[in-house]
Amino acid sequence: MNTSVPSWVGKVEEVNAMGFNRIARSTADPLLLYIGAPWCPPCKTMEPAFAAAAEAMGTKARFLKVNAATDPQLLDSLKVAAVPMLLMYDEQGQEVGRLLGLLSAPRIAQWAQKRLDSARQ
């Protein structure tokens, strides 16, 4: 039995559009994508909360972050018009939720877990 923990557990991986697409196509892990921008005050507040939620959720979801200011084509393809935005994907890569706005770490984890639970029913 392999009990090794993936390197992404408890961390936020900053990716660009190519990195997100590669991970989304190649993983069977749920993904929580955070889209923010350095010029966005609510995003600056939410970044540490997103990192804390990643740590709290452990292996339940892989946490990815994209900079809206540098990846406008990805935002267009995902139909994201405002930030901060969370997009939740299940194990099959299907979007199971999206949320616009600022959340605390416990609320991010709670929101993500509810989306995953609903997707599995």
Side-chain angles (χ1 to χ4, degrees):
M1 179 167 113
N2 186 358
T3 59
S4 67
V5 176
S7 62
W8 55 262
V9 172
K11 297 181 177 105
V12 174
E13 298 171 84
E14 191 159 347
V15 296
N16 59 18
M18 188 168 40
F20 170 71
N21 289 325
R22 179 183 47 77
I23 291 169
R25 282 193 311 267
S26 67
T27 190
D29 299 307
L31 300 176
L32 183 55
L33 176 63
Y34 166 71
I35 302 171
W39 47 261
C40 164
C43 299
K44 288 181 182 180
T45 302
M46 192 155 148
E47 276 194 37
F50 190 69
E55 191 173 327
M57 288 193 75
T59 60
K60 293 179 182 177
R62 190 168 179 175
F63 280 58
L64 305 175
K65 177 178 118 176
V66 169
N67 182 344
T70 59
D71 278 303
Q73 287 181 315
L74 179 63
L75 273 59
D76 286 347
S77 71
L78 297 174
K79 296 176 178 48
V80 172
V83 293
M85 176 73 74
L86 293 176
L87 298 171
M88 186 81 223
Y89 297 89
D90 66 11
E91 293 88 343
Q92 288 77 43
Q94 298 299 308
E95 183 180 319
V96 294
R98 66 174 47 210
L99 181 99
L100 174 64
L102 176 62
L103 292 178
S104 66
R107 295 287 311 215
I108 292 169
Q110 179 185 42
W111 179 84
Q113 190 61 59
K114 280 185 180 180
R115 297 301 147 312
L116 290 175
D117 292 346
S118 293
R120 291 177 182 139
Q121 292 178 352

